[in-house]
Amino acid sequence: MLLEHHGKELLRSAGIAVPGHGVASAIAAVGPLVDRFGPRVAVKALVPVGGRGKAGGVVVVDGVEAAEAAAQRLLGAMLGSHRVDQVLIEEAIPIAQELYISVTIDPGSGRPVLLESDQGGIDVESMTDDLTTTVLDVQNRPTPPAPALGQSESESGPAPTSITTRREVANAVISAFFQYEATLIEINPLVVAADGRLVALDAKVQLDESARHRRSVPDHWVDGESGTEREQLAAELGLRLIELGGDVAILANGAGLTMATVDAVANAGGRPANFLEIGGDAYTKAIPALELVLSLPGVRSLLVNFCGAFARCDVMTAGVLDAWDALQPTIPVYFSISGTGSDKARQMVRDRLGIEPLPSMQEAVSHAVGSAGLGRRS
Ligand code: GDP
Ligand code: MN
C-alpha cells in the first residue's frame, strides 16, 4: 500500500480535493507545517496500514504545542508491525458528513467494482448493509496514459479542483484505478466539508505488482512493498500477513495479541508459521484468513487465540467456524477464547467441532506446538 501522502498525490492528480499537508520526521519540522496548514491540524502516523484512527494513530489538535506533543507520542511508536518514522501534518477539515468510496477487484468474480457508502470513517466491514456495489465495465475503456507522479516535494497546499459531486469523484477514482493499474483505491472517509466541498481525508492505494515495470509512480513509493505472493494477496484482501516459515498456524484478533501469540509459540519451543493481522474484522475476513494460513507450506496445527473486548469472541469464532465448514481442513485446531462473548464462543466450538477449547492461552499454545511436533516426527 502506498503511504497516505503518495496516495493523496495520486488522488490530487485525478482532480480530487485533498487537505493541504506536509510530512514531518522530526519534531522540529512540525511547527512550520502547523503554521502553514493550521492552527487546527490532523497529526497522522504515516504507515501503510488501515485502522490508524482506532489505534490512536490519528489525532486532530489545535496549535503548534499540541501538534508537537502528538507527533512526539507517535514518532518511534509501533502501529501494528510498523514503526512510525514520519507523521503527516494536515489541514484539519471541519466535517459535515463522512462517506466511503473505493474501487477494487472483487475477489469472487475477479472483476473491478465500485463500492460506495453514506457511512464513511468506520470499517467497511461494518457498513455492509449500506454498501452499494457497482460492477465496472472493463471493455472499451479508454485509458489515457497516467500523469507521472512524484514530481512535487513532500509538502503541498490544497489543490484547486473542479470536482464537486460524488459522481465526479467516483468517475475520477475509476479512471485513476485503470490508469495507474491499481488493485485498490479507497477513500475512507471522503468527507462533505462544512463548506460543502468534497475532500478526501484518507487514501489507501494498492498498485498491481505485476504492472510494476510500467508504473508511472517513483520506485521509492513502492520499494520494500513486495512480499511473498501470499503476503501480497493478503495485503490486497486488507490482511497483513508475514510468513514465518514454521508449522504452527496462528489466528488471533488484533496485532498486539497476534504478536504475543507468535512469541508464546516460539517460547514454547514451537515454530510459528505466520503473523496475520486481521484487526477487528476477524468475522468477515475469517474465510480468506483461514484459507491463507492453511495454505502456508508445512503447517501442521492451528492455534486460534481470541481475546474479546470491543471485538466479540462469539462473532469472531462464528466466522472461523463458518470458514472451517467451508474449507474442511484436516489439521488439529486448538482454541483459546477469553473476554467478551467467550462463553457463547466456547459453546459454539463444542457444538460445531466437538472439541473442548483450552482453558488458557498457555495450554492452547503448548497443545498446538506439541501436535505440530508430533506431525514433524511422523
Ligand atoms: P485510518 O483509520 O487509518 O483509516 O485513518 P483516517 O485517515 O481515515 O483517519 C481516521 C479518522 O480520523 C477519520 O475517519 C476522521 O474521522 C478523522 N480525521 C482524519 N483527518 C481528519 C481531519 O482533517 N479533520 C477531522 N475533523 N477529522 C479527521
Ligand atoms: Mn481511513
Side-chain angles (χ1 to χ4, degrees):
M1 188 157 73
L2 299 187
L3 289 171
E4 179 177 349
H5 62 305
H6 295 145
K8 280 179 168 162
E9 186 175 332
L10 189 151
L11 293 182
R12 195 178 144 95
S13 87
I16 297 166
V18 300
H21 59 245
V23 175
S25 44
I27 301 300
V30 173
L33 291 172
V34 178
D35 289 342
R36 175 155 179 210
F37 299 114
R40 194 167 168 74
V41 291
V43 180
K44 310 175 86 176
L46 205 46
V47 287
V49 290
R52 293 167 306 163
K54 273 191 193 161
V58 177
V59 275
V60 179
V61 294
D62 274 298
V64 172
E65 250 173 64
E68 283 176 345
Q72 179 83 59
R73 197 173 51 75
L74 288 175
L75 286 170
M78 295 296 294
L79 214 63
S81 51
H82 292 272
R83 199 185 67 217
V84 181
D85 293 322
Q86 298 177 306
V87 290
L88 198 63
I89 305 291
E90 189 165 80
E91 167 195 7
I93 305 287
I95 300 173
Q97 199 192 349
E98 293 190 300
L99 311 170
Y100 173 94
I101 183 166
S102 72
V103 176
T104 188
I105 307 286
D106 173 51
S109 63
R111 304 182 65 183
V113 285
L114 169 71
L115 304 174
E116 290 176 288
S117 169
D118 287 342
Q119 286 172 21
I122 51 171
D123 296 335
V124 62
E125 287 73 20
S126 37
M127 61 171 87
T128 36
D129 291 348
D130 187 54
L131 204 62
T132 320
T133 307
T134 315
V135 177
L136 300 172
D137 183 12
V138 274
Q139 239 94 76
N140 313 317
R141 178 170 287 283
T143 40
L149 298 175
Q151 312 301 321
S152 66
E153 12 80 89
S154 59
E155 208 177 297
S156 58
T161 177
S162 55
I163 289 184
T164 55
T165 67
R166 279 175 84 174
R167 185 61 19 225
E168 288 166 340
V169 172
N171 288 335
V173 173
I174 293 166
S175 302
F177 180 86
F178 290 109
Q179 279 186 315
Y180 287 99
E181 300 187 75
T183 53
L184 170 71
I185 298 182
E186 181 193 79
I187 308 177
N188 185 25
L190 170 70
V191 302
V192 182
D195 61 8
R197 287 185 311 144
L198 281 171
V199 184
L201 283 205
D202 192 11
K204 302 228 189 291
V205 176
Q206 191 99 47
L207 300 176
D208 186 350
E209 270 299 312
S210 58
R212 209 184 170 98
H213 60 284
R214 50 168 187 264
R215 252 177 204 160
S216 23
V217 310
D219 285 340
H220 72 267
W221 281 23
V222 286
D223 279 351
E225 243 216 339
S226 54
T228 67
E229 222 165 90
R230 240 180 245 100
E231 287 169 351
Q232 286 169 34
L233 176 68
E236 279 162 27
L237 296 167
L239 302 162
R240 183 174 164 76
L241 172 74
I242 300 168
E243 295 192 38
L244 299 175
D247 47 20
V248 180
I250 294 165
L251 268 189
N253 64 301
L257 184 64
T258 306
M259 254 184 276
T261 311
V262 168
D263 288 346
V265 166
N267 288 339
R271 304 189 309 190
N274 65 282
F275 171 91
L276 178 69
E277 192 183 328
I278 46 181
D281 318 328
Y283 177 69
T284 45
K285 287 176 181 164
I287 292 185
L290 187 63
E291 200 164 15
L292 274 167
V293 298
L294 294 174
S295 75
L296 294 165
V299 164
R300 292 196 175 86
S301 68
L302 172 66
L303 173 60
V304 180
N305 189 13
F306 286 152
C307 183
F310 294 110
R312 296 190 54 94
C313 286
D314 49 340
V315 177
M316 296 188 285
T317 302
V320 170
L321 294 175
D322 288 346
W324 195 269
D325 282 347
L327 301 169
Q328 304 272 326
T330 53
I331 58 166
V333 55
Y334 303 92
F335 285 83
S336 163
I337 303 174
S338 64
T340 316
S342 57
D343 288 344
K344 196 170 162 198
R346 298 163 71 85
Q347 194 55 46
M348 285 194 281
V349 172
R350 290 182 197 107
D351 292 345
R352 294 180 57 180
L353 293 184
I355 59 170
E356 185 62 29
L358 280 304
S360 72
M361 169 169 161
Q362 271 322 317
E363 281 170 83
V365 166
S366 76
H367 275 82
V369 168
S371 114
L374 284 180
R376 242 181 350 248
R377 278 189 290 276
S378 67

